[in-house]
């Protein structure tokens, strides 16, 4: 078995375990399951799942960090959902200006090389 296959098995087991904890309402245990080192190609999906869990708990700043990581990892155009959910979390957290900028990225208004997620600073 290759290291990549082992990683895939580990990550899918952890994702199923986290989903099970969520069904039982055990959010902290679900988040602990997602603390995995060396995610490789699974980094984006795990970050999205983590962001969804955090946003459902009203932890919008933490969720925004997870969605931002997912948006950075996913290639265009697959990154648009992550940018959109990041925008929604930023809006809920009160960072309206950045939420609007990120929403522009989600809608494809800014190519990746011209997008400044820190609010316009180079």
């Amino acid at each position: 078995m290759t290291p990549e296959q082992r990683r895939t098995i580990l990550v899918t087991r952890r994702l199923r375990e986290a989903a099970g904890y969520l069904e039982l309402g055990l959010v902290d245990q679900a988040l602990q399951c997602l603390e995995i080192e060396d995610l490789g190609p699974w980094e984006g999906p795990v970050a999205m799942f983590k962001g969804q869990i955090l946003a459902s708990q009203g932890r919008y700043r933490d969720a925004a960090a997870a969605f931002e990581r997912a948006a950075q990892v996913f290639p265009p155009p697959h990154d648009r959902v992550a940018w959109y959910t990041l925008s929604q979390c930023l809006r809920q957290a009160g960072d309206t200006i950045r939420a609007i900028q990120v929403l522009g990225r989600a809608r494809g208004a800014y190519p990746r090389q011209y997008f400044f997620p820190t609010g316009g600073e180079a």
Side-chain angles (χ1 to χ4, degrees):
M1 187 178 302
T2 68
E4 187 62 35
Q5 290 170 325
R6 287 184 187 153
R7 180 183 347 187
T8 298
I9 290 169
L10 170 73
V11 173
T12 55
R13 278 185 187 160
R14 289 296 209 46
L15 286 169
R16 281 191 307 242
E17 189 177 340
Y21 279 125
L22 273 180
E23 285 183 30
L24 296 172
L26 303 171
V27 177
D28 292 332
Q29 288 85 341
L31 290 171
Q32 286 176 357
C33 289
L34 299 178
E35 296 300 322
I36 308 166
E37 292 184 27
D38 189 28
L39 287 166
W42 291 92
E43 186 174 3
V46 169
M48 284 293 290
F49 191 32
K50 192 180 293 188
Q52 291 168 347
I53 293 169
L54 292 167
S56 73
Q57 295 295 300
R59 297 169 55 186
Y60 297 112
R61 289 269 175 216
D62 295 332
F67 287 129
E68 186 165 13
R69 184 64 196 142
Q72 292 168 349
V73 173
F74 286 131
H78 307 291
D79 60 345
R80 288 186 176 181
V81 171
W83 288 119
Y84 177 75
T85 50
L86 170 58
S87 173
Q88 296 302 308
C89 285
L90 290 171
R91 185 178 59 82
Q92 290 291 332
D95 193 349
T96 307
I97 293 172
R98 187 146 181 259
I100 292 168
Q101 292 171 336
V102 171
L103 183 59
R105 177 68 182 110
R107 299 183 81 201
Y110 305 113
R112 189 176 288 255
Q113 66 267 26
Y114 297 120
F115 180 66
F116 301 111
T118 59
E121 301 168 11

